[in-house]
């Protein structure tokens, strides 16, 4: 039922004009209001916490839909931030929220200062779930200014925030915000790949060259199969990351999100190649998804940091412990 509601909302309110405006850095207040009225920012909370009490599969489907519609607003980040706030016993966000980890901030005499780079829609957020060491801080909008503008690969705002805030809302860190961010991005990547596959199947079925549809060529069929394979891997990897996050297993999150990010790279390349030159143009809808895949692939840790974490764990496990480590993910 929630999936149907999300689909109807996005089909009604997230049209090409809205996507184009978001890519120009324009906030979409009407869409955000509808998202809040639906209760999506609280979707990952239990019923006792004021949320939907979704099953794991239902929560994953909701996050995948954010990807399959290339949702430009920080809905996934707000869902993850509220989940962290609720687990830590802090007040929930009263609007859009962000999540970040920044260990290079300075805390002196109760005042937190420093910068946090590349926060999605940082100027529009109500608050930030910010991890500093083993502490989760709820930093309100008044606690930062914009230090530098920035954009992601899909042209959405990613400014650097200058934090200057007297700490008055903190709690023990339930789990790392990077793990939350990496997990929601894995689900979004799976959703975006599903949309890219649908568009590629449609294009190759209707585009005719040398008297027959592209899809009739064996080499094209091979590439379509590879793209479908990447989608299947990303979907399973996102589920793995989600299950691991639920038991606070960072290594499991690393394995899941890393495979999803690899699928983002491979899938975007195949979809673009199958569309030919038109797939590179900003005017084509595929561009929404390929650029989103590149942006989400590189956020909340990126591939290198998650690969290093897994590699370090494998080295620490040694020969005898390697197989149990892998099968335990």
């Amino acid at each position: 039922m929630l999936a149907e509601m999300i689909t109807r909302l996005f089909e009604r309110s997230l049209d090409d004009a809205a996507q184009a405006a978001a890519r120009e850095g324009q906030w979409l207040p009407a869409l955000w209001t509808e998202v809040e009225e639906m209760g999506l920012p609280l979707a990952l909370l239990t019923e006792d916490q004021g949320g939907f009490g979704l099953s794991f599969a239902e929560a994953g489907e909701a996050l995948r839909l954010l990807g399959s519609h290339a949702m430009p607003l920080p809905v996934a980040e707000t869902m993850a931030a509220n989940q962290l706030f609720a687990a830590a016993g802090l007040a929930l966000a009263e609007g859009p929220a962000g999540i970040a980890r920044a260990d290079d901030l300075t805390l002196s005499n109760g005042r937190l200062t420093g910068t946090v780079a590349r926060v999605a829609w940082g100027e529009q957020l109500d608050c930030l779930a910010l991890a500093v060491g083993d502490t989760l801080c709820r930093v309100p909008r008044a606690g930062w200014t914009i230090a530098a503008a920035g954009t992601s690969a899909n042209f959405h705002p990613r400014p650097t925030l200058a934090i200057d805030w007297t700490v008055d809302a903190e709690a023990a860190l339930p789990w790392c915000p990077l793990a939350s961010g990496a997990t929601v991005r894995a689900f979004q990547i799976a959703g975006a790949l599903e949309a890219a596959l649908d568009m590629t199947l449609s294009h190759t079925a209707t585009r005719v060259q040398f008297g027959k549809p592209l899809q009739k060529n064996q080499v094209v069929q091979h590439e379509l199969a590879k793209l479908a394979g990447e989608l299947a891997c990303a979907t399973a990897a996102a589920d793995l990351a989600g299950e691991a996050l639920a038991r606070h297993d960072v290594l499991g999150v690393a394995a899941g999100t890393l495979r999803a990010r690899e699928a983002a790279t491979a899938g975007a390349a195949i979809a673009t190649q199958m569309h030919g030159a038109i797939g590179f143009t900003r005017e084509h809808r595929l561009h929404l998804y390929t650029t989103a895949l590149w942006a989400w692939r590189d956020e909340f840790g990126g591939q290198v940091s998650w690969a290093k974490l897994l590699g370090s764990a494998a080295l620490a496990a040694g020969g005898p412990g390697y197989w149990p480590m892998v099968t335990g993910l």
Side-chain angles (χ1 to χ4, degrees):
M1 181 177 177
L2 178 62
E4 293 177 6
M5 292 169 59
I6 294 172
T7 300
R8 284 199 298 270
L9 168 62
F10 291 166
E11 289 179 349
R12 180 180 67 248
S13 301
L14 187 52
D15 55 16
D16 290 346
Q19 292 282 13
R23 292 181 132 200
E24 295 296 331
Q26 298 177 30
W27 184 249
L28 307 175
L31 178 59
W32 181 261
T33 298
E34 290 195 84
V35 165
E36 283 193 315
E37 289 174 350
M38 184 182 289
L40 269 183
L42 307 180
L44 299 184
L45 275 58
T46 66
E47 291 186 27
D48 291 341
Q49 294 169 332
F52 292 173
L54 296 178
S55 68
F56 174 79
E58 291 170 329
E61 180 63 16
L63 290 168
R64 272 190 290 272
L65 285 170
L66 297 179
S68 64
H69 289 83
M71 179 59 177
L73 303 183
V75 180
E77 290 90 332
T78 305
M79 293 164 69
N82 278 326
Q83 191 181 36
L84 272 168
F85 287 145
L90 297 174
L92 302 180
E94 296 179 358
I99 53 176
R101 178 168 193 96
D103 291 326
D104 56 345
L105 295 178
T106 300
L107 180 59
S108 178
N109 297 322
R111 195 157 192 88
L112 189 65
T113 57
T115 58
V116 181
R118 304 189 62 77
V119 178
W121 294 96
E123 193 166 8
Q124 303 295 337
L125 301 182
D126 168 72
C127 62
L128 191 63
L130 180 61
V132 183
D134 296 329
T135 300
L136 178 68
C137 298
R138 185 187 187 281
V139 184
R141 178 62 184 87
W144 72 79
T145 56
I146 302 300
T151 56
S152 59
N154 56 346
F155 309 103
H156 296 156
R158 293 291 189 274
T160 295
L161 310 184
I163 306 291
D164 186 358
W165 173 64
T166 301
V167 178
D168 61 3
E170 60 177 333
L173 184 66
W175 60 82
C176 180
L178 286 183
S180 289
T183 300
V184 298
R185 286 293 187 258
F187 281 107
Q188 289 175 280
I189 285 170
L193 280 174
E194 183 177 5
L197 175 61
D198 288 344
M199 280 186 282
T200 306
L201 287 171
S202 175
H203 177 76
T204 55
T206 55
R207 179 79 171 177
V208 176
Q209 285 190 340
F210 306 113
K212 61 181 180 181
L214 287 174
Q215 217 172 73
K216 296 295 184 182
N217 292 288
Q218 190 175 27
V219 67
V220 173
Q221 293 172 355
H222 182 64
E223 292 301 309
L224 293 175
K226 286 168 58 180
L227 180 53
E230 294 298 338
L231 168 59
C233 287
T235 302
D239 288 342
L240 171 64
E243 291 171 352
L245 183 65
R247 60 177 188 274
H248 304 169
D249 173 11
V250 177
L251 276 185
V253 171
T257 194
L258 183 59
R259 184 61 187 91
R261 289 161 195 254
E262 289 177 351
T265 300
I270 295 170
T272 302
Q273 185 181 30
M274 291 297 96
H275 277 77
I278 195 173
F280 284 97
T281 60
R282 183 164 173 163
E283 291 73 19
H284 196 282
R285 195 166 180 79
L286 180 68
H287 199 256
L288 278 178
Y289 293 95
T290 52
T291 54
L293 286 167
W294 295 328
W296 295 337
R297 174 196 62 188
D298 295 338
E299 294 182 328
F300 296 117
Q303 289 175 277
V304 173
S305 65
W306 291 112
K308 283 183 175 178
L309 181 64
L310 273 178
S312 298
L315 290 173
Y322 178 72
W323 184 248
M325 186 205 87
V326 171
T327 56
L329 293 174

